[in-house]
Every structure is written in C-alpha cells, then in structure tokens.
Amino acid sequence: QVQLVESGGGLVQAGGSLRLSCGASGRTFSSYAMGWFRQAPGEERKFVAAISWNGIITWNGGHTYYADSVKGRFTISRDNAKNTVYLQMNSLKPDDTAVYYCAQYNGNSYDVWGQGTQVTVSS
C-alpha cells in the first residue's frame, strides 16, 4: 500500500519559516517525481513545487519547478535514502495559509496524495 505522510505544519508569524516533510512508503520512492500542493479555505488545490525523481532531470531544464507565488521563498528538496521530500518555506506571508499536501507523480499524473498538514501564517 502506497502511503504519504506530511508533517511540520503549524502556526508561524509573517516573515517566519517552516519546513514541511513528507515520508513515503509502499513503492520505490526514488523512481518518482514528487510535488507539493496547497489548498486555502474556499479555494481549489493549487500547485506549489515539484522535484524530479533524481533531482537532476526534468520538465523545464532544471530539476525543480515552482509556482510564481512562492519562487525565491520556498525550496523543495528530497532525500531518496530517507524516502522523504521537503518543502522549506521562508518569508512566509498570510496568503501562504493553507493545508499543504505532498503527492507522487507516476509519469502521467499525481496519483498518490498525503492527508495534508495545516500551515497558518499570522499577520
């Protein structure tokens, strides 16, 4: 059974930082690209960041990809030895408040999702 479990969410003041983690189990983690998404109340789930399976090759000439709204503030990384993907979030803003989800990409779509972790940024 494939499973993703997020952790690291919480309450932080604007300008602060958080690091989210997502642990994976059930299939060979290093074979899959990984992504982070977020969903704010009343809004659709939106893409945040993604990283290729080996951190080297990708979709756009680099190994990571970010939504414009987080570029320069968030960093996605992975440790294939630990079956974990991270999202380092700096310079947080109240607009970053959302439930954050990690997901695994099977080459066609994100087919496995975690349960989400709440991030709340106070002004």
Side-chain angles (χ1 to χ4, degrees):
Q1 180 180 358
V2 183
Q3 190 174 18
L4 301 176
V5 179
E6 302 96 336
S7 61
L11 174 64
V12 63
Q13 288 187 333
S17 299
L18 281 175
R19 188 176 82 153
L20 305 183
S21 300
C22 172
S25 61
R27 61 187 183 187
T28 305
F29 177 75
S30 59
S31 296
Y32 296 89
M34 298 293 297
W36 285 96
F37 293 75
R38 66 187 181 186
Q39 186 168 20
E43 297 186 9
E44 295 183 351
R45 191 172 299 185
K46 297 178 181 178
F47 170 79
V48 173
I51 187 167
S52 63
W53 66 275
N54 62 356
I56 297 175
I57 53 172
T58 96
W59 314 276
N60 63 346
H63 66 278
T64 57
Y65 187 67
Y66 298 93
D68 287 344
S69 59
V70 307
K71 205 171 291 184
R73 300 187 298 122
F74 290 12
T75 302
I76 187 171
S77 62
R78 67 189 296 160
D79 185 339
N80 288 341
K82 295 183 178 180
N83 290 351
T84 301
V85 62
Y86 304 97
L87 185 68
Q88 177 67 44
M89 306 186 295
N90 298 329
S91 302
L92 283 161
K93 305 174 182 180
D95 285 350
D96 295 318
T97 295
V99 177
Y100 283 72
Y101 299 89
C102 68
Q104 199 166 60
Y105 187 73
N106 66 5
N108 292 305
S109 64
Y110 289 95
D111 66 335
V112 180
W113 294 81
Q115 83 289 350
T117 186
Q118 176 70 47
V119 171
T120 303
V121 184
S122 63
S123 57

